Amino acid sequence: MLDQMMKSLAVTLGVEDFIASNNGSYDIEVDQMSLTIRKQSSWLVWETVRPFQFEQHLNYQQEQALKHCMQLSLKTLRNAQSTLTVDHNNQLMVQGKMSMVNAAQEEFYSQLSQHVNLVAQFSDLLEHQSVNHSVNHRVWIP
């Protein structure tokens, strides 16, 4: 079923067929974001890793970015099917899923679109935080 949906998605996007990796997942790129789509038990799962690495001690800038992402996720969790989580490399990850039982192509496309929009919001927020807290020093030499 996932293979058929991915073929249909490729046709809809007007790109070549997506090819499954050795573990059966699909790695696709949408708007310069990498999404991994796979079947897990009776679920379709998609996830996107964001460039935020959790470390033992976060600095102020990282803590603020994380707080804003968490606030955004709390606001959007009611409306979206996505979850903000951490992967095995301690990187921030946005993950969504859909039951295979009621998986229709239109619903799959709609949820993927919502996922991409949510990931874009998180990316903008992370970039905004790092820009706001960086300090630029200029030296004037006569």
Side-chain angles (χ1 to χ4, degrees), residues 31-68:
D31 294 337
Q32 300 176 346
M33 291 179 226
S34 291
L35 276 85
T36 301
I37 303 170
R38 68 181 188 282
K39 182 180 176 202
Q40 183 176 342
S41 183
S42 62
W43 295 91
L44 287 176
V45 177
W46 50 89
E47 54 197 22
T48 305
V49 176
R50 298 315 318 142
F52 185 91
Q53 184 78 34
F54 284 91
E55 299 169 0
Q56 187 68 24
H57 299 286
L58 296 176
N59 63 27
Y60 176 78
Q61 174 183 344
Q62 292 170 323
E63 283 183 12
Q64 293 305 309
L66 181 58
K67 284 179 186 177
H68 282 81

Side-chain angles (χ1 to χ4, degrees), residues 18-30:
F18 298 113
I19 300 171
S21 63
N22 292 339
N23 61 4
S25 67
Y26 289 86
D27 295 318
I28 66 172
E29 191 166 312
V30 178

Side-chain angles (χ1 to χ4, degrees), residues 69-84:
C69 281
M70 297 306 272
Q71 288 172 345
L72 178 62
S73 71
L74 289 174
K75 290 177 185 176
T76 57
L77 279 177
R78 290 183 291 244
N79 302 328
Q81 300 284 334
S82 297
T83 304
L84 192 62

